[in-house]
Amino acid sequence: MSYFDYDLCFDVSWTVEVEEFDINKGWVAGAFFIGLFVGAGLLALCIPTCLRDLEKKKRQDEEENILVAEDVTAETWTSEKQRIDEEAPANNSTLRSKFAVATAFFKRKKKTGDKQTEMKEKKGWVQPADTNTNTTPASTDTVGMVTILTKPNSGEADTDLTKQDLNDMDSLENDQKEAKNDLTLKMLKMKLRKMKGKGQISDPYLADFTQKIIDGRKSNNAIIDMERQEGEEEIKRKCGKNKAQIDIEMDNLNIRLNAKKNQMDKDEIETIRGELLRTSGLSEAEIDDLVEKLKHELSEFERKQGLEQARQAQHLADRLEKRRNLLAFRQLQEQQDVEKTKQEVKSYDEPLQKLVEDGKLSDKQKKEILDQHDRNLQNLQKQHDLDKMRLQQQLAEKMQERRDQRMKKLNDKHMKEKASYLQKAEKGTNTAEFSAQYQGLLQQQQKEIEDTQTDIDQTEIQELEKLSQNLATQKDENIQETSNKMIQTVKEMGQLPDSDVKRIIKLHNLRMDAFENQRKDERQRMMNELMQKREERLKKQEENKKQDEAEREAILEQQDITVQRVLNSNLDLSEDAKNKILKEHERNMVSLNNQLSRSKAKQQLSLENKLSERKARLAAIKAQQTALMADREKANEKEIQKLQDTLDQEMLQFEKEKRAAEADLRRRLALETEAALAQQEKDLATLIGRLEVGHARREAVLQKQDQTIKELQVSIGLCVLYM
């Protein structure tokens, strides 16, 4: 019989599927907020870094676009940049604006890349726009006349004027160099296009050849920039804080680098000739003919540039003189305005003294009345000066904004005109007509810039004069009101009848009328002095012009004698080779004359700018001295004497530096002329050597041909004999 033992146990396990579970809401909420805060913290740390990288990449990409601007047309670049400026917000302080910058960056990057790809595919004989042409005119931004004329320091104002003219002269020089570079490449392409019609030049070859010239110019500019940077660092390290020595060394560096850059530009034609000989497949005679015609047309273009350069230099000199005269006249007006306020007090001294003599006022009362009137007028003058400064600043900002907008609009117009003309010229073949029309366009645009600047100057001067008259009227009204109060005080204090009051006013008016006549005489005297200075300047200018012309004639005569002597000593040269040398010499002299004239004008203007800086220091010391002497009660005689001694020392130093600077200018110009003539002779020697080698090579070929003919004749004679 079996049985079951209930005390026996077994280990058993099983699985239970549960479809529901309990949620701890507190833990879930805590985990959610912890994750939210941690994520926000990480986002706050990462976003600024990412945005900085994006903005840095944006700036780098813009710089790269500037470097490859030759592959984008001027109008495309302008419209693209305007679109970027519209997409990129002005204020990058918020997160939203930074994301907008990043978005604009990616959009522009894509479209720019597409445009560059499209341009590369379209390279050929007729391009949408010349890829080497800089169609952006030089900046014509200038400091407004309101800003200059309202400067309290006349020396600083004159420094601004000369600095502005110096910048304009640099801009004009750059414009002429860019115009010549554009013309060189355009005419070269037009001449090679004729070869293409004969099947000698292919489309890809011209595109690659043009790009080589552009790359060569970039390389030359990079070399000059690098040497300039290294030279400036070396000068600063060597000269320390000696500003005068730094200026001298900087001038020498600029002269040397400008001469080197001019030589690089001049050697470009020979580089083009050599490249054509190596790669074009054209004969040497065809290439020499092409290069000779190109040189002739460029020389004529440069000759006209020299005439335009002289005209522009004369325009800048006349403008500077007019502005200086206007500045001097306005300084006199400002000085007379202050003196008029002081005269208001002095003009009452005699009438009140008459009342003291009549026993109607005491000396103490008279002094108290005049002192109080003087304090009131001084306070009025201070308030007038503050109002004038504020309103002049507002006017200067408004007129500067108008000036910038108008000049920008004009620059955009000129840029489009130039780009449009150069694009149309791609289809032409008449290089002489193209050169003349292109130069005419540039001269017309420059004249338009000058006329616009003159018109802007005149408008600003009129607005400033209108403001000055309004302020003067308001000041006169305030002075009259203050004087009426003072007269009322006198009347009450002295218990004066109306007859005495009228006599006081009459005497005061007589005094002020006499003072006003004196002011008119001073202004007329200044006008006469300015007219006399102008006549003296014109006379001196004519003398300098004759002297410069005589020096140029002497240099030209000396060089002609040298060239003729060299040609006479080279008997192996043909007449054709000698004519080529003479033509090259004439072209070189045109280029040399322009180079030296431009350098002399720039250095003279630079000297004036440095002297103006010294005058600014003298004007500052005189202003301190005038301020001390104006308040005799608080004036310290020792301080006045110290300022006078400083002023005397500065005057002596100014005259010393002026003489040294003028002597250094003459020395630099002489050295520059000597170096330019030496380089000229070196270039001619190179040309003569090349022509001699070519002549010798041709003679060798002719001799070989003669020998071959003789051998053939002998062979033919033997054959006839045996027959």
Side-chain angles (χ1 to χ4, degrees):
M1 181 177 176
S2 63
Y3 65 92
F4 184 81
D5 190 355
Y6 291 93
D7 294 332
L8 184 62
C9 298
F10 296 94
D11 292 331
V12 180
S13 61
W14 66 91
T15 302
V16 179
E17 295 182 0
V18 180
E19 297 179 357
E20 298 178 355
F21 62 91
D22 296 331
I23 300 175
N24 191 327
K25 296 182 179 180
W27 280 103
V28 171
F32 173 80
F33 285 108
I34 290 174
L36 183 63
F37 289 131
V38 171
L42 293 175
L43 190 64
L45 291 174
C46 295
I47 283 181
T49 304
C50 295
L51 290 176
R52 281 195 298 269
D53 291 339
L54 286 174
E55 292 177 356
K56 180 179 179 181
K57 179 62 178 174
K58 175 179 177 292
R59 291 192 299 269
Q60 291 175 346
D61 193 71
E62 288 176 349
E63 293 173 356
E64 292 173 0
N65 275 303
I66 293 174
L67 294 176
V68 299
E70 291 83 4
D71 293 330
V72 183
T73 65
E75 294 182 2
T76 302
W77 165 248
T78 302
S79 62
E80 190 73 357
K81 188 172 188 306
Q82 290 175 349
R83 183 185 61 76
I84 297 169
D85 292 339
E86 291 173 358
E87 291 177 349
N91 185 3
N92 294 331
S93 60
T94 65
L95 188 62
R96 179 180 178 184
S97 64
K98 291 185 177 180
F99 276 120
V101 172
T103 304
F105 162 72
F106 284 114
K107 289 182 179 179
R108 182 185 57 78
K109 180 66 177 177
K110 181 178 182 301
K111 292 188 177 183
T112 304
D114 295 341
K115 175 59 70 175
Q116 291 175 354
T117 303
E118 180 183 354
M119 292 297 296
K120 289 180 180 178
E121 293 174 354
K122 289 184 178 180
K123 274 190 176 182
W125 288 98
V126 181
Q127 300 176 3
D130 195 357
T131 56
N132 74 289
T133 301
N134 183 0
T135 55
T136 303
S139 174
T140 53
D141 291 341
T142 55
V143 179
M145 289 303 297
V146 177
T147 302
I148 293 176
L149 293 177
T150 55
K151 279 185 174 293
N153 189 317
S154 59
E156 291 181 0
D158 191 75
T159 302
D160 288 344
L161 291 176
T162 53
K163 183 65 176 178
Q164 180 176 315
D165 283 5
L166 197 58
N167 292 337
D168 285 348
M169 191 170 290
D170 287 335
S171 177
L172 295 172
E173 179 182 2
N174 293 333
D175 286 347
Q176 286 195 337
K177 288 183 178 180
E178 289 177 3
K180 185 181 177 182
N181 288 339
D182 293 343
L183 188 75
T184 301
L185 205 55
K186 283 291 183 184
M187 291 199 302
L188 179 63
K189 291 165 68 176
M190 294 167 74
K191 291 180 181 298
L192 289 175
R193 187 176 295 113
K194 297 179 181 179
M195 302 294 184
K196 184 220 179 218
K198 301 177 183 179
Q200 296 170 290
I201 301 291
S202 64
D203 287 6
Y205 175 80
L206 180 63
D208 293 339
F209 184 75
T210 302
Q211 191 60 42
K212 285 181 181 180
I213 299 175
I214 296 172
D215 293 340
R217 290 174 178 176
K218 289 182 179 180
S219 177
N220 290 340
N221 291 334
I223 291 173
I224 295 298
D225 292 341
M226 182 180 65
E227 290 189 10
R228 187 181 304 278
Q229 182 179 357
E230 292 176 352
E232 290 175 353
E233 292 175 354
E234 176 64 20
I235 290 172
K236 293 177 181 179
R237 184 191 62 79
K238 182 176 66 175
C239 299
K241 297 182 179 180
N242 189 341
K243 188 176 183 302
Q245 188 63 29
I246 289 177
D247 291 340
I248 294 175
E249 294 296 332
M250 286 292 187
D251 288 340
N252 294 334
L253 175 66
N254 290 330
I255 292 172
R256 180 174 62 82
L257 292 180
N258 287 338
K260 184 173 183 178
K261 183 62 171 63
N262 291 333
Q263 189 61 36
M264 286 179 172
D265 295 339
K266 186 178 177 182
D267 293 341
E268 184 181 67
I269 299 297
E270 293 303 320
T271 303
I272 291 173
R273 178 183 179 277
E275 187 66 22
L276 288 174
L277 283 172
R278 287 191 298 271
T279 62
S280 68
L282 300 174
S283 66
E284 184 176 2
E286 289 176 320
I287 294 175
D288 286 343
D289 181 63
L290 183 149
V291 171
E292 183 66 23
K293 291 179 179 178
L294 181 63
K295 284 183 176 181
H296 173 73
E297 291 170 349
L298 287 176
S299 178
E300 179 63 19
F301 182 81
E302 195 168 6
R303 184 188 68 80
K304 293 180 180 178
Q305 275 192 330
L307 299 177
E308 176 64 12
Q309 174 183 300
R311 187 199 67 79
Q312 292 173 358
Q314 184 62 47
H315 166 75
L316 290 178
D318 293 340
R319 187 182 72 172
L320 179 61
E321 183 185 30
K322 292 177 181 178
R323 288 178 167 184
R324 280 175 167 172
N325 292 345
L326 186 62
L327 178 62
F329 197 75
R330 182 163 182 83
Q331 291 288 333
L332 176 62
Q333 287 180 322
E334 293 289 333
Q335 180 182 352
Q336 288 183 344
D337 181 64
V338 175
E339 292 176 353
K340 180 181 178 181
T341 305
K342 297 178 180 178
Q343 186 65 29
E344 282 288 339
V345 178
K346 296 179 181 179
S347 63
Y348 282 109
D349 183 75
E350 182 180 352
L352 294 186
Q353 181 61 35
K354 183 66 175 175
L355 294 178
V356 172
E357 294 174 356
D358 294 342
K360 298 178 181 180
L361 282 179
S362 65
D363 289 333
K364 182 179 179 181
Q365 289 175 327
K366 171 198 167 186
K367 185 176 184 305
E368 290 176 353
I369 292 172
L370 291 179
D371 288 347
Q372 182 61 43
H373 187 53
D374 185 31
R375 286 191 295 269
N376 292 338
L377 290 179
Q378 287 182 9
N379 293 333
L380 189 150
Q381 181 67 43
K382 291 178 181 179
Q383 185 60 43
H384 170 77
D385 292 340
L386 291 175
D387 293 340
K388 180 175 67 174
M389 187 182 303
R390 175 177 54 82
L391 294 174
Q392 286 177 350
Q393 179 65 25
Q394 293 176 357
L395 179 63
E397 293 174 356
K398 181 177 71 173
M399 301 308 296
Q400 185 68 49
E401 183 178 358
R402 290 184 183 178
R403 173 185 287 265
D404 294 341
Q405 290 176 351
R406 188 170 175 184
M407 294 307 300
K408 181 181 182 302
K409 183 178 179 180
L410 182 62
N411 284 348
D412 292 341
K413 172 178 172 289
H414 288 172
M415 181 178 64
K416 292 178 181 178
E417 290 175 350
K418 185 178 176 183
S420 175
Y421 179 78
L422 291 176
Q423 184 176 353
K424 291 178 182 178
E426 284 285 341
K427 303 176 182 179
T429 57
N430 190 332
T431 54
E433 181 182 356
F434 165 71
S435 174
Q437 292 180 355
Y438 185 51
Q439 192 160 47
L441 174 64
L442 296 178
Q443 292 177 357
Q444 174 189 341
Q445 290 183 344
Q446 179 58 36
K447 189 66 168 58
E448 192 172 356
I449 289 175
E450 294 171 1
D451 292 342
T452 303
Q453 288 180 338
T454 301
D455 184 59
I456 293 174
D457 286 353
Q458 189 64 30
T459 301
E460 292 181 353
I461 292 169
Q462 291 174 356
E463 290 294 326
L464 180 59
E465 183 63 25
K466 187 187 301 182
L467 174 62
S468 299
Q469 290 179 358
N470 292 337
L471 287 171
T473 301
Q474 182 181 356
K475 180 183 176 182
D476 290 341
E477 292 175 356
N478 293 334
I479 289 177
Q480 185 62 45
E481 183 180 351
T482 303
S483 298
N484 291 339
K485 291 180 180 179
M486 187 271 293
I487 292 175
Q488 186 64 29
T489 301
V490 173
K491 181 179 180 181
E492 293 175 356
M493 188 175 294
Q495 298 179 353
L496 302 178
D498 293 340
S499 58
D500 289 343
V501 173
K502 291 180 179 179
R503 186 180 63 178
I504 294 174
I505 296 174
K506 182 179 179 180
L507 290 174
H508 168 264
N509 291 338
L510 289 174
R511 287 282 187 179
M512 294 306 298
D513 290 342
F515 177 76
E516 184 62 30
N517 292 331
Q518 182 181 352
R519 291 175 61 187
K520 290 181 180 179
D521 292 341
E522 289 180 358
R523 289 195 294 267
Q524 185 60 45
R525 184 164 55 252
M526 170 166 280
M527 291 292 294
N528 295 336
E529 291 177 356
L530 294 176
M531 291 296 296
Q532 183 178 358
K533 287 182 179 180
R534 174 175 174 79
E535 292 177 359
E536 292 176 356
R537 185 186 71 85
L538 292 175
K539 183 179 179 181
K540 184 177 180 181
Q541 187 180 53
E542 189 65 26
E543 293 175 354
N544 292 337
K545 184 178 180 180
K546 291 180 179 180
Q547 182 179 355
D548 293 341
E549 187 67 27
E551 291 176 356
R552 284 194 295 268
E553 290 294 334
I555 292 174
L556 182 61
E557 183 179 356
Q558 178 185 357
Q559 290 299 302
D560 288 343
I561 294 174
T562 302
V563 172
Q564 288 294 342
R565 185 171 62 250
V566 171
L567 292 179
N568 294 334
S569 63
N570 287 270
L571 301 178
D572 295 336
L573 290 177
S574 64
E575 289 299 321
D576 182 59
K578 291 181 179 180
N579 289 333
K580 286 184 178 180
I581 293 173
L582 289 175
K583 290 180 180 179
E584 184 69 17
H585 169 64
E586 292 175 359
R587 290 192 288 261
N588 289 344
M589 292 308 297
V590 171
S591 177
L592 177 66
N593 180 52
N594 289 351
Q595 175 187 341
L596 294 178
S597 299
R598 182 168 53 244
S599 178
K600 182 176 182 179
K602 286 179 61 177
Q603 292 187 62
Q604 286 178 336
L605 193 55
S606 177
L607 173 61
E608 288 193 35
N609 181 255
K610 293 172 185 176
L611 295 178
S612 296
E613 293 177 353
R614 171 64 72 174
K615 290 178 182 178
R617 293 198 294 271
L618 293 175
I621 296 174
K622 289 181 179 179
Q624 295 179 15
Q625 187 182 45
T626 303
L628 276 177
M629 297 180 66
D631 193 354
R632 282 290 182 179
E633 294 181 357
K634 299 180 181 179
N636 188 322
E637 293 297 332
K638 291 184 179 180
E639 292 182 0
I640 295 177
Q641 186 60 41
K642 184 178 179 180
L643 277 176
Q644 185 61 45
D645 294 341
T646 304
L647 182 62
D648 294 339
Q649 293 176 2
E650 287 286 341
M651 289 292 295
L652 292 175
Q653 186 66 20
F654 172 77
E655 294 297 332
K656 180 180 178 181
E657 290 182 0
K658 181 179 179 180
R659 290 192 296 269
E662 291 173 347
D664 187 65
L665 173 61
R666 290 191 294 269
R667 180 186 60 81
R668 286 201 308 268
L669 290 174
L671 291 176
E672 185 178 5
T673 302
E674 182 180 352
L677 291 175
Q679 183 63 44
Q680 194 91 326
E681 294 176 1
K682 181 179 178 181
D683 293 340
L684 279 179
T686 302
L687 176 62
I688 292 173
R690 180 164 62 82
L691 292 175
E692 287 178 339
V693 170
H695 176 73
R697 187 166 61 247
R698 286 190 294 272
E699 288 293 330
V701 170
L702 292 175
Q703 291 177 3
K704 186 176 181 180
Q705 290 176 349
D706 290 342
Q707 183 66 28
T708 302
I709 292 173
K710 290 179 181 179
E711 292 176 355
L712 287 173
Q713 289 175 346
V714 171
S715 299
I716 292 172
L718 291 174
C719 290
V720 172
L721 180 62
Y722 284 113
M723 291 176 61

